[in-house]
Amino acid sequence: MLEVKNIHASYGKVHVLHNVSIQVGEQEIVSIIGANGAGKSTLMRNIMGLYHPRSGDIRMDGESILRLKTDQIVKKGIVYVPEGREVFPDLSVEDNLEMGAFSRRYSAQKYKSLLEEVYEIYPRLKDRRKQLAGSLSGGEQQMVAIARGLMSEPKLIMFDEPSLGLAPVIVDEMFDVIVRINREKKLPVILVEQNAFAALSISNRCYVMENGVVTASGDSKVLMNSPEIKKAYLGG
Ligand SMILES: Nc1ncnc2c1ncn2[C@@H]1O[C@H](COP(=O)(O)OP(=O)(O)OP(=O)(O)O)[C@@H](O)[C@H]1O
Ligand SMILES: [Mg+2]
Protein backbone atom coordinates (compact mmCIF):
# COMPACT_ATOMS: atom_id res chain seq x y z
CA MET A 1 0.00 0.00 0.00
CA LEU A 2 2.59 2.61 1.11
CA GLU A 3 6.23 2.06 0.32
CA VAL A 4 9.03 4.43 1.28
CA LYS A 5 12.19 3.36 -0.50
CA ASN A 6 15.67 4.49 0.47
CA ILE A 7 14.86 8.14 1.01
CA HIS A 8 17.36 10.80 1.95
CA ALA A 9 15.83 14.01 3.23
CA SER A 10 17.14 17.31 4.51
CA TYR A 11 16.17 20.73 5.77
CA GLY A 12 18.33 22.98 3.63
CA LYS A 13 21.86 21.68 4.10
CA VAL A 14 21.04 19.64 7.18
CA HIS A 15 20.79 16.02 6.10
CA VAL A 16 18.26 14.37 8.45
CA LEU A 17 17.01 11.08 6.94
CA HIS A 18 19.56 8.58 5.70
CA ASN A 19 18.38 5.82 3.39
CA VAL A 20 15.08 5.30 5.20
CA SER A 21 12.74 2.56 3.96
CA ILE A 22 9.40 1.59 5.44
CA GLN A 23 6.38 -0.33 4.21
CA VAL A 24 2.78 -0.37 5.30
CA GLY A 25 0.45 -3.13 4.11
CA GLU A 26 -3.33 -3.27 3.84
CA GLN A 27 -5.00 -3.12 7.25
CA GLU A 28 -1.76 -2.96 9.22
CA ILE A 29 -0.89 -0.78 12.19
CA VAL A 30 2.77 0.12 11.81
CA SER A 31 4.48 2.01 14.62
CA ILE A 32 7.58 4.16 14.44
CA ILE A 33 9.46 4.73 17.65
CA GLY A 34 12.67 6.58 18.47
CA ALA A 35 14.11 9.29 20.65
CA ASN A 36 13.50 13.04 20.24
CA GLY A 37 15.10 14.27 17.07
CA ALA A 38 15.37 10.79 15.49
CA GLY A 39 13.58 12.01 12.36
CA LYS A 40 10.11 10.53 12.83
CA SER A 41 8.17 13.70 12.07
CA THR A 42 10.56 14.50 9.22
CA LEU A 43 9.65 11.16 7.67
CA MET A 44 5.93 11.98 8.02
CA ARG A 45 6.41 15.44 6.47
CA ASN A 46 8.26 13.95 3.51
CA ILE A 47 5.53 11.36 2.96
CA MET A 48 2.96 14.20 3.01
CA GLY A 49 4.89 16.31 0.49
CA LEU A 50 5.47 19.13 2.97
CA TYR A 51 9.12 18.52 2.12
CA HIS A 52 10.49 16.42 -0.71
CA PRO A 53 13.24 13.82 -0.31
CA ARG A 54 16.43 14.51 -2.25
CA SER A 55 16.54 10.89 -3.38
CA GLY A 56 14.66 7.63 -3.06
CA ASP A 57 11.00 7.05 -3.79
CA ILE A 58 7.63 7.04 -2.06
CA ARG A 59 4.88 4.93 -3.61
CA MET A 60 1.20 4.65 -2.78
CA ASP A 61 -0.58 1.65 -4.32
CA GLY A 62 2.36 1.23 -6.67
CA GLU A 63 2.35 4.82 -7.94
CA SER A 64 5.10 7.31 -7.06
CA ILE A 65 3.88 10.28 -5.00
CA LEU A 66 7.38 11.64 -4.52
CA ARG A 67 6.87 14.86 -6.45
CA LEU A 68 3.23 15.49 -5.63
CA LYS A 69 2.08 18.47 -3.59
CA THR A 70 0.46 17.95 -0.23
CA ASP A 71 -3.10 18.54 -1.47
CA GLN A 72 -2.58 15.98 -4.24
CA ILE A 73 -1.26 13.48 -1.69
CA VAL A 74 -4.33 14.09 0.47
CA LYS A 75 -6.45 13.38 -2.62
CA LYS A 76 -4.62 10.05 -2.96
CA GLY A 77 -6.08 9.21 0.44
CA ILE A 78 -3.21 9.86 2.88
CA VAL A 79 -4.12 11.84 5.97
CA TYR A 80 -1.66 13.15 8.54
CA VAL A 81 -2.63 14.09 12.09
CA PRO A 82 0.45 16.12 13.02
CA GLU A 83 2.16 16.63 16.35
CA GLY A 84 0.48 19.21 18.53
CA ARG A 85 -3.07 18.57 17.27
CA GLU A 86 -3.57 21.55 15.04
CA VAL A 87 -7.26 22.39 15.20
CA PHE A 88 -8.77 25.65 14.00
CA PRO A 89 -9.31 27.25 17.42
CA ASP A 90 -11.82 29.90 16.29
CA LEU A 91 -14.06 27.43 14.49
CA SER A 92 -16.65 25.22 16.16
CA VAL A 93 -16.05 21.49 16.46
CA GLU A 94 -18.44 20.83 13.60
CA ASP A 95 -16.84 23.45 11.35
CA ASN A 96 -13.46 21.83 12.03
CA LEU A 97 -14.90 18.50 10.91
CA GLU A 98 -16.35 20.12 7.81
CA MET A 99 -12.86 21.34 6.90
CA GLY A 100 -11.75 17.69 6.84
CA ALA A 101 -14.49 16.89 4.32
CA PHE A 102 -13.93 20.00 2.23
CA SER A 103 -11.66 18.58 -0.47
CA ARG A 104 -13.98 15.63 -1.05
CA ARG A 105 -17.08 17.48 -2.28
CA TYR A 106 -19.44 14.95 -0.74
CA SER A 107 -23.18 15.02 -1.31
CA ALA A 108 -25.12 16.43 1.66
CA GLN A 109 -26.33 12.95 2.48
CA LYS A 110 -22.87 11.39 2.38
CA TYR A 111 -21.49 14.21 4.52
CA LYS A 112 -24.19 13.70 7.14
CA SER A 113 -23.60 9.98 7.37
CA LEU A 114 -19.84 10.47 7.76
CA LEU A 115 -20.44 13.05 10.46
CA GLU A 116 -22.67 10.58 12.30
CA GLU A 117 -19.93 7.94 11.98
CA VAL A 118 -17.28 10.13 13.61
CA TYR A 119 -19.74 11.24 16.30
CA GLU A 120 -20.37 7.58 16.98
CA ILE A 121 -16.62 7.11 17.53
CA TYR A 122 -16.41 10.30 19.62
CA PRO A 123 -19.80 11.00 21.27
CA ARG A 124 -18.08 13.73 23.31
CA LEU A 125 -17.59 15.74 20.15
CA LYS A 126 -21.27 15.51 19.29
CA ASP A 127 -22.16 17.02 22.68
CA ARG A 128 -19.70 19.82 22.01
CA ARG A 129 -20.31 20.30 18.32
CA LYS A 130 -21.13 24.02 18.61
CA GLN A 131 -18.23 24.76 20.97
CA LEU A 132 -15.14 26.58 19.67
CA ALA A 133 -12.37 24.02 19.21
CA GLY A 134 -9.88 26.32 20.96
CA SER A 135 -11.87 26.06 24.18
CA LEU A 136 -11.75 22.24 24.29
CA SER A 137 -9.42 20.27 26.55
CA GLY A 138 -6.21 18.89 25.04
CA GLY A 139 -7.69 15.41 24.78
CA GLU A 140 -10.82 16.72 23.10
CA GLN A 141 -8.75 18.73 20.63
CA GLN A 142 -6.87 15.55 19.79
CA MET A 143 -10.24 13.89 19.10
CA VAL A 144 -11.16 16.76 16.77
CA ALA A 145 -7.86 16.40 14.91
CA ILE A 146 -8.41 12.65 14.44
CA ALA A 147 -12.10 13.02 13.58
CA ARG A 148 -11.28 15.72 11.03
CA GLY A 149 -8.83 13.33 9.37
CA LEU A 150 -11.48 10.61 9.22
CA MET A 151 -13.95 12.97 7.52
CA SER A 152 -11.97 12.70 4.30
CA GLU A 153 -12.33 8.90 4.25
CA PRO A 154 -8.59 8.25 4.05
CA LYS A 155 -6.95 5.12 2.68
CA LEU A 156 -4.08 5.51 5.16
CA ILE A 157 -3.91 7.61 8.31
CA MET A 158 -0.72 8.70 10.06
CA PHE A 159 -0.68 9.84 13.69
CA ASP A 160 2.28 11.81 15.03
CA GLU A 161 2.59 11.45 18.80
CA PRO A 162 -1.12 11.42 19.49
CA SER A 163 -0.59 10.68 23.20
CA LEU A 164 1.61 13.69 23.88
CA GLY A 165 0.46 15.70 26.88
CA LEU A 166 -2.64 13.61 27.56
CA ALA A 167 -3.60 12.09 30.90
CA PRO A 168 -3.03 8.29 31.09
CA VAL A 169 -6.74 7.39 31.01
CA ILE A 170 -7.26 9.58 27.91
CA VAL A 171 -4.18 8.03 26.31
CA ASP A 172 -5.70 4.56 26.73
CA GLU A 173 -8.97 5.72 25.16
CA MET A 174 -7.08 7.27 22.27
CA PHE A 175 -5.16 4.06 21.53
CA ASP A 176 -8.43 2.09 21.75
CA VAL A 177 -9.90 4.39 19.12
CA ILE A 178 -6.88 3.91 16.84
CA VAL A 179 -7.27 0.13 17.06
CA ARG A 180 -11.01 0.47 16.44
CA ILE A 181 -10.51 2.69 13.39
CA ASN A 182 -8.01 0.19 12.02
CA ARG A 183 -10.29 -2.82 12.58
CA GLU A 184 -13.70 -1.38 11.73
CA LYS A 185 -12.71 0.76 8.80
CA LYS A 186 -9.95 -1.63 7.72
CA LEU A 187 -7.76 1.43 7.59
CA PRO A 188 -3.96 1.08 7.64
CA VAL A 189 -2.31 3.23 10.30
CA ILE A 190 1.15 4.67 10.86
CA LEU A 191 1.61 5.50 14.52
CA VAL A 192 4.58 7.63 15.54
CA GLU A 193 5.01 7.43 19.30
CA GLN A 194 7.34 8.28 22.14
CA ASN A 195 5.30 5.87 24.22
CA ALA A 196 7.12 2.80 22.91
CA PHE A 197 5.31 0.29 25.07
CA ALA A 198 1.87 1.42 23.88
CA ALA A 199 3.05 1.67 20.28
CA LEU A 200 4.46 -1.86 20.31
CA SER A 201 1.38 -3.18 22.12
CA ILE A 202 -1.12 -2.04 19.51
CA SER A 203 0.92 -2.30 16.30
CA ASN A 204 1.54 -5.29 14.04
CA ARG A 205 5.02 -4.16 13.04
CA CYS A 206 7.42 -1.48 14.19
CA TYR A 207 10.36 0.53 12.88
CA VAL A 208 12.92 1.93 15.29
CA MET A 209 14.66 5.16 14.23
CA GLU A 210 17.86 6.62 15.60
CA ASN A 211 19.58 9.71 14.22
CA GLY A 212 17.72 9.57 10.93
CA VAL A 213 18.35 5.87 10.33
CA VAL A 214 16.07 2.85 10.73
CA THR A 215 18.08 0.70 13.14
CA ALA A 216 15.59 -2.11 13.77
CA SER A 217 12.28 -3.30 12.40
CA GLY A 218 9.98 -6.26 12.58
CA ASP A 219 7.06 -7.86 14.30
CA SER A 220 6.06 -5.70 17.28
CA LYS A 221 5.71 -8.65 19.67
CA VAL A 222 9.20 -9.84 18.75
CA LEU A 223 10.69 -6.35 19.18
CA MET A 224 8.95 -5.98 22.52
CA ASN A 225 10.92 -8.98 23.78
CA SER A 226 14.24 -7.96 22.29
CA PRO A 227 16.80 -7.15 25.01
CA GLU A 228 18.15 -4.11 23.07
CA ILE A 229 14.69 -2.62 22.59
CA LYS A 230 13.75 -3.32 26.21
CA LYS A 231 16.88 -1.59 27.41
CA ALA A 232 16.64 1.44 25.14
CA TYR A 233 12.89 2.07 24.97
CA LEU A 234 10.97 0.09 27.55
CA GLY A 235 12.85 0.99 30.69
CA GLY A 236 14.91 -2.21 31.05
N1 LIG B 1 12.15 22.77 10.05
C1 LIG B 1 13.35 22.28 10.40
N2 LIG B 1 14.50 22.89 10.00
C2 LIG B 1 15.71 22.39 10.33
N3 LIG B 1 15.89 21.27 11.06
C3 LIG B 1 14.81 20.64 11.49
C4 LIG B 1 13.47 21.10 11.20
N4 LIG B 1 12.59 20.25 11.76
C5 LIG B 1 13.33 19.31 12.39
N5 LIG B 1 14.65 19.54 12.22
C6 LIG B 1 15.76 18.70 12.74
O1 LIG B 1 15.63 17.41 12.16
C7 LIG B 1 15.93 16.40 13.12
C8 LIG B 1 14.77 15.44 13.19
O2 LIG B 1 13.64 16.12 13.72
P1 LIG B 1 12.21 15.47 13.80
O3 LIG B 1 11.26 16.53 14.20
O4 LIG B 1 11.94 14.71 12.56
O5 LIG B 1 12.41 14.44 15.00
P2 LIG B 1 11.35 13.52 15.76
O6 LIG B 1 11.85 12.13 15.71
O7 LIG B 1 9.99 13.78 15.24
O8 LIG B 1 11.49 14.06 17.25
P3 LIG B 1 10.37 14.28 18.39
O9 LIG B 1 10.15 12.93 19.01
O10 LIG B 1 11.03 15.20 19.33
O11 LIG B 1 9.14 14.85 17.76
C9 LIG B 1 16.23 17.12 14.42
O12 LIG B 1 17.63 17.21 14.56
C10 LIG B 1 15.62 18.49 14.23
O13 LIG B 1 16.34 19.47 14.94
MG1 LIG C 1 8.28 14.54 16.02
Side-chain angles (χ1 to χ4, degrees), residues 133-179:
S135 68
L136 298 171
S137 75
E140 290 163 353
Q141 291 190 24
Q142 183 62 272
M143 293 176 197
V144 172
I146 294 173
R148 189 180 57 200
L150 292 175
M151 286 299 290
S152 70
E153 291 200 300
K155 287 191 197 158
L156 168 73
I157 189 161
M158 313 198 292
F159 298 102
D160 199 340
E161 312 242 7
S163 75
L164 203 70
L166 302 183
V169 49
I170 309 289
V171 169
D172 289 346
E173 265 176 38
M174 206 244 348
F175 285 128
D176 286 346
V177 165
I178 291 176
V179 171

Side-chain angles (χ1 to χ4, degrees), residues 22-201:
I22 71 164
Q23 272 189 43
V24 183
E26 304 282 342
Q27 302 180 27
E28 265 192 316
I29 301 182
V30 169
S31 58
I32 300 177
I33 63 174
N36 294 119
K40 307 179 296 297
S41 299
T42 302
L43 173 59
M44 297 299 104
R45 293 178 197 128
N46 276 272
I47 293 172
M48 279 323 284
L50 297 162
Y51 294 87
H52 295 286
R54 50 160 91 157
S55 64
D57 199 5
I58 302 176
R59 303 178 85 81
M60 176 74 174
D61 294 332
E63 185 191 345
S64 180
I65 58 166
L66 190 68
R67 295 293 156 213
L68 299 186
K69 298 202 183 94
T70 302
D71 62 319
Q72 296 171 306
I73 291 171
V74 172
K75 286 209 178 88
K76 296 276 178 207
I78 306 182
V79 154
Y80 178 43
V81 181
E83 283 175 300
R85 55 189 85 99
E86 292 161 13
V87 299
F88 299 101
D90 301 327
L91 295 183
S92 69
V93 166
E94 198 144 302
D95 288 345
N96 265 275
L97 299 183
E98 193 177 340
M99 297 297 280
F102 182 72
S103 67
R104 289 288 183 201
R105 302 167 183 275
Y106 295 127
S107 68
Q109 194 185 3
K110 173 78 184 171
Y111 173 72
K112 258 193 114 174
S113 81
L114 267 174
L115 200 58
E116 282 312 314
E117 260 181 53
V118 304
Y119 283 150
E120 206 249 310
I121 295 172
Y122 287 127
R124 281 244 280 275
L125 295 185
K126 187 167 191 178
D127 299 339
R128 290 166 174 73
R129 64 186 183 277
K130 302 283 177 217
Q131 193 173 327
L132 293 185
S135 68
L136 298 171
S137 75
E140 290 163 353
Q141 291 190 24
Q142 183 62 272
M143 293 176 197
V144 172
I146 294 173
R148 189 180 57 200
L150 292 175
M151 286 299 290
S152 70
E153 291 200 300
K155 287 191 197 158
L156 168 73
I157 189 161
M158 313 198 292
F159 298 102
D160 199 340
E161 312 242 7
S163 75
L164 203 70
L166 302 183
V169 49
I170 309 289
V171 169
D172 289 346
E173 265 176 38
M174 206 244 348
F175 285 128
D176 286 346
V177 165
I178 291 176
V179 171
R180 199 177 143 193
I181 291 169
N182 169 256
R183 297 228 175 104
E184 287 178 11
K185 295 187 172 287
K186 307 203 182 314
L187 182 60
V189 169
I190 296 182
L191 174 62
V192 169
E193 260 297 330
Q194 285 281 323
N195 185 340
F197 182 76
L200 287 167
S201 305

